[in-house]
Amino acid sequence: MNLTTTPFRPGDKVADDGGGPALPTFLAGGVLPRERILTLAWLDADDRVTGIAVPVREVPQHPSDDDAARFGGVIASVTQQSVPGGSVVAILERPGEQSVTAADRAWNTALRAQAAQRDFRLHGLFVAAGGAVRPIAMDDAG
């Protein structure tokens, strides 16, 4: 397991989500979470760190339609008001093994649907669990 210990600072360029989870690994800390947290971090239009990161606690295991709409509304609002043309990186931190679960896939589906519906760009969605950070690709929705 390679943990990123070098801090990201506002203005730092972030590789695309296919290039590895360096920013999500940094934001997830030790990647052995004891509770479910969804950390949202915004990038500007040039994929640079803005310094806006929000950890949301008490995230349900499976997103309801109301949960998806609530998270989608927050993401869209922050993006439109504070980071026009930017994108969001979402890191779902949870206890348990590192393999991607059906619940992780449900969050992937919900957040990607919200991105399409509310017109914001999801730079990447990652799961931090079991000592690893893994990207969830668009085709992992389910």
Short mmCIF file of all heavy atoms in Angstrom, two decimals, residues 48-78:
data_model
loop_
_atom_site.label_atom_id
_atom_site.label_comp_id
_atom_site.label_asym_id
_atom_site.label_seq_id
_atom_site.Cartn_x
_atom_site.Cartn_y
_atom_site.Cartn_z
N ARG A 48 -7.07 21.90 -10.56
CA ARG A 48 -6.17 22.28 -9.47
C ARG A 48 -6.96 22.32 -8.16
O ARG A 48 -8.13 22.70 -8.14
CB ARG A 48 -5.54 23.64 -9.74
CG ARG A 48 -4.66 23.61 -10.99
CD ARG A 48 -3.87 24.88 -11.17
NE ARG A 48 -3.13 24.87 -12.41
CZ ARG A 48 -1.98 24.23 -12.59
NH1 ARG A 48 -1.42 23.57 -11.62
NH2 ARG A 48 -1.38 24.26 -13.76
N VAL A 49 -6.30 21.94 -7.08
CA VAL A 49 -6.92 21.91 -5.76
C VAL A 49 -7.37 23.31 -5.37
O VAL A 49 -6.60 24.27 -5.51
CB VAL A 49 -5.92 21.35 -4.71
CG1 VAL A 49 -6.49 21.43 -3.31
CG2 VAL A 49 -5.52 19.92 -5.06
N THR A 50 -8.61 23.43 -4.91
CA THR A 50 -9.13 24.73 -4.51
C THR A 50 -8.97 24.99 -3.01
O THR A 50 -9.02 26.13 -2.58
CB THR A 50 -10.63 24.86 -4.83
OG1 THR A 50 -11.35 23.89 -4.05
CG2 THR A 50 -10.91 24.69 -6.31
N GLY A 51 -8.83 23.94 -2.25
CA GLY A 51 -8.79 24.09 -0.79
C GLY A 51 -10.16 23.89 -0.16
O GLY A 51 -10.30 23.94 1.05
N ILE A 52 -11.18 23.66 -0.98
CA ILE A 52 -12.53 23.40 -0.46
C ILE A 52 -12.70 21.90 -0.35
O ILE A 52 -12.68 21.18 -1.35
CB ILE A 52 -13.62 23.97 -1.39
CG1 ILE A 52 -13.44 25.48 -1.59
CG2 ILE A 52 -15.01 23.66 -0.82
CD1 ILE A 52 -14.34 26.06 -2.66
N ALA A 53 -12.82 21.42 0.89
CA ALA A 53 -13.05 19.98 1.14
C ALA A 53 -14.02 19.87 2.30
O ALA A 53 -13.85 20.54 3.33
CB ALA A 53 -11.74 19.27 1.45
N VAL A 54 -15.03 19.05 2.14
CA VAL A 54 -16.07 18.90 3.15
C VAL A 54 -16.23 17.42 3.50
O VAL A 54 -16.65 16.64 2.64
CB VAL A 54 -17.41 19.46 2.64
CG1 VAL A 54 -18.51 19.27 3.66
CG2 VAL A 54 -17.28 20.92 2.24
N PRO A 55 -15.91 17.03 4.74
CA PRO A 55 -16.21 15.65 5.16
C PRO A 55 -17.63 15.59 5.73
O PRO A 55 -17.98 16.37 6.63
CB PRO A 55 -15.16 15.38 6.24
CG PRO A 55 -14.83 16.74 6.79
CD PRO A 55 -15.09 17.74 5.70
N VAL A 56 -18.44 14.71 5.19
CA VAL A 56 -19.82 14.55 5.65
C VAL A 56 -19.91 13.24 6.42
O VAL A 56 -19.61 12.17 5.88
CB VAL A 56 -20.80 14.53 4.46
CG1 VAL A 56 -22.23 14.39 4.96
CG2 VAL A 56 -20.63 15.79 3.61
N ARG A 57 -20.31 13.32 7.67
CA ARG A 57 -20.41 12.13 8.53
C ARG A 57 -21.82 11.55 8.47
O ARG A 57 -22.72 12.14 7.93
CB ARG A 57 -20.05 12.50 9.96
CG ARG A 57 -18.63 13.00 10.10
CD ARG A 57 -18.20 13.03 11.56
NE ARG A 57 -16.88 13.52 11.80
CZ ARG A 57 -15.74 13.05 11.35
NH1 ARG A 57 -15.74 12.03 10.55
NH2 ARG A 57 -14.58 13.59 11.66
N GLU A 58 -21.95 10.38 9.05
CA GLU A 58 -23.24 9.68 9.14
C GLU A 58 -23.86 9.45 7.76
O GLU A 58 -25.03 9.70 7.54
CB GLU A 58 -24.19 10.43 10.07
CG GLU A 58 -23.67 10.54 11.50
CD GLU A 58 -24.60 11.26 12.44
OE1 GLU A 58 -25.79 11.42 12.11
OE2 GLU A 58 -24.13 11.64 13.53
N VAL A 59 -23.03 8.96 6.85
CA VAL A 59 -23.47 8.66 5.50
C VAL A 59 -24.15 7.28 5.53
O VAL A 59 -23.56 6.32 6.03
CB VAL A 59 -22.27 8.65 4.53
CG1 VAL A 59 -22.67 8.19 3.15
CG2 VAL A 59 -21.63 10.02 4.50
N PRO A 60 -25.36 7.18 5.02
CA PRO A 60 -26.03 5.87 5.02
C PRO A 60 -25.30 4.86 4.13
O PRO A 60 -24.61 5.25 3.18
CB PRO A 60 -27.43 6.17 4.48
CG PRO A 60 -27.32 7.47 3.80
CD PRO A 60 -26.18 8.21 4.40
N GLN A 61 -25.48 3.60 4.43
CA GLN A 61 -24.82 2.57 3.63
C GLN A 61 -25.30 2.61 2.19
O GLN A 61 -24.50 2.57 1.26
CB GLN A 61 -25.06 1.19 4.23
CG GLN A 61 -24.30 0.11 3.48
CD GLN A 61 -24.29 -1.21 4.20
OE1 GLN A 61 -24.75 -1.33 5.33
NE2 GLN A 61 -23.77 -2.23 3.55
N HIS A 62 -26.60 2.67 1.98
CA HIS A 62 -27.18 2.75 0.64
C HIS A 62 -27.87 4.10 0.51
O HIS A 62 -28.66 4.46 1.38
CB HIS A 62 -28.20 1.64 0.41
CG HIS A 62 -27.59 0.28 0.32
ND1 HIS A 62 -27.09 -0.22 -0.86
CD2 HIS A 62 -27.37 -0.67 1.25
CE1 HIS A 62 -26.60 -1.42 -0.65
NE2 HIS A 62 -26.75 -1.73 0.63
N PRO A 63 -27.62 4.81 -0.57
CA PRO A 63 -28.27 6.12 -0.74
C PRO A 63 -29.73 5.98 -1.16
O PRO A 63 -30.05 5.24 -2.10
CB PRO A 63 -27.45 6.77 -1.86
CG PRO A 63 -26.95 5.61 -2.67
CD PRO A 63 -26.72 4.50 -1.67
N SER A 64 -30.61 6.67 -0.46
CA SER A 64 -32.00 6.75 -0.90
C SER A 64 -32.07 7.84 -1.97
O SER A 64 -31.10 8.58 -2.20
CB SER A 64 -32.91 7.13 0.28
OG SER A 64 -32.62 8.46 0.70
N ASP A 65 -33.21 7.97 -2.62
CA ASP A 65 -33.38 9.04 -3.60
C ASP A 65 -33.20 10.40 -2.93
O ASP A 65 -32.61 11.30 -3.51
CB ASP A 65 -34.75 8.95 -4.26
CG ASP A 65 -34.88 7.75 -5.19
OD1 ASP A 65 -33.83 7.17 -5.58
OD2 ASP A 65 -36.02 7.38 -5.51
N ASP A 66 -33.71 10.53 -1.69
CA ASP A 66 -33.55 11.79 -0.96
C ASP A 66 -32.09 12.06 -0.63
O ASP A 66 -31.64 13.21 -0.73
CB ASP A 66 -34.37 11.77 0.34
CG ASP A 66 -35.87 11.85 0.09
OD1 ASP A 66 -36.27 12.27 -1.02
OD2 ASP A 66 -36.64 11.50 1.01
N ASP A 67 -31.35 11.02 -0.23
CA ASP A 67 -29.91 11.20 0.05
C ASP A 67 -29.19 11.67 -1.20
O ASP A 67 -28.39 12.61 -1.16
CB ASP A 67 -29.27 9.88 0.51
CG ASP A 67 -29.79 9.37 1.83
OD1 ASP A 67 -30.13 10.20 2.71
OD2 ASP A 67 -29.85 8.13 1.99
N ALA A 68 -29.45 11.01 -2.32
CA ALA A 68 -28.79 11.37 -3.57
C ALA A 68 -29.10 12.81 -3.95
O ALA A 68 -28.20 13.58 -4.31
CB ALA A 68 -29.22 10.42 -4.69
N ALA A 69 -30.36 13.21 -3.82
CA ALA A 69 -30.76 14.57 -4.16
C ALA A 69 -30.10 15.59 -3.23
O ALA A 69 -29.67 16.66 -3.67
CB ALA A 69 -32.27 14.71 -4.12
N ARG A 70 -30.01 15.25 -1.95
CA ARG A 70 -29.39 16.16 -0.97
C ARG A 70 -27.91 16.36 -1.30
O ARG A 70 -27.43 17.49 -1.36
CB ARG A 70 -29.57 15.59 0.44
CG ARG A 70 -29.01 16.45 1.53
CD ARG A 70 -29.44 15.96 2.92
NE ARG A 70 -29.37 14.52 3.08
CZ ARG A 70 -28.36 13.87 3.66
NH1 ARG A 70 -27.35 14.54 4.17
NH2 ARG A 70 -28.37 12.57 3.77
N PHE A 71 -27.18 15.26 -1.52
CA PHE A 71 -25.76 15.36 -1.84
C PHE A 71 -25.56 16.06 -3.19
O PHE A 71 -24.68 16.90 -3.34
CB PHE A 71 -25.09 13.99 -1.84
CG PHE A 71 -24.80 13.48 -0.46
CD1 PHE A 71 -25.63 12.56 0.14
CD2 PHE A 71 -23.69 13.93 0.23
CE1 PHE A 71 -25.35 12.08 1.42
CE2 PHE A 71 -23.41 13.48 1.51
CZ PHE A 71 -24.24 12.55 2.11
N GLY A 72 -26.38 15.69 -4.17
CA GLY A 72 -26.29 16.32 -5.48
C GLY A 72 -26.53 17.82 -5.42
O GLY A 72 -25.84 18.60 -6.08
N GLY A 73 -27.50 18.23 -4.61
CA GLY A 73 -27.79 19.65 -4.45
C GLY A 73 -26.63 20.41 -3.83
O GLY A 73 -26.29 21.51 -4.28
N VAL A 74 -26.02 19.83 -2.81
CA VAL A 74 -24.87 20.47 -2.16
C VAL A 74 -23.70 20.58 -3.14
O VAL A 74 -23.08 21.65 -3.27
CB VAL A 74 -24.45 19.70 -0.89
CG1 VAL A 74 -23.10 20.17 -0.38
CG2 VAL A 74 -25.51 19.82 0.19
N ILE A 75 -23.40 19.50 -3.83
CA ILE A 75 -22.28 19.50 -4.77
C ILE A 75 -22.51 20.54 -5.87
O ILE A 75 -21.62 21.34 -6.19
CB ILE A 75 -22.05 18.10 -5.37
CG1 ILE A 75 -21.59 17.12 -4.29
CG2 ILE A 75 -21.03 18.17 -6.51
CD1 ILE A 75 -21.61 15.67 -4.72
N ALA A 76 -23.71 20.54 -6.44
CA ALA A 76 -24.01 21.49 -7.52
C ALA A 76 -23.94 22.93 -7.02
O ALA A 76 -23.37 23.80 -7.70
CB ALA A 76 -25.39 21.19 -8.10
N SER A 77 -24.46 23.18 -5.85
CA SER A 77 -24.46 24.54 -5.30
C SER A 77 -23.04 25.06 -5.07
O SER A 77 -22.69 26.17 -5.48
CB SER A 77 -25.25 24.56 -4.00
OG SER A 77 -25.21 25.84 -3.42
N VAL A 78 -22.21 24.25 -4.41
CA VAL A 78 -20.83 24.67 -4.15
C VAL A 78 -20.09 24.86 -5.47
O VAL A 78 -19.36 25.85 -5.65
CB VAL A 78 -20.10 23.67 -3.24
CG1 VAL A 78 -18.61 24.00 -3.14
CG2 VAL A 78 -20.73 23.66 -1.84
#
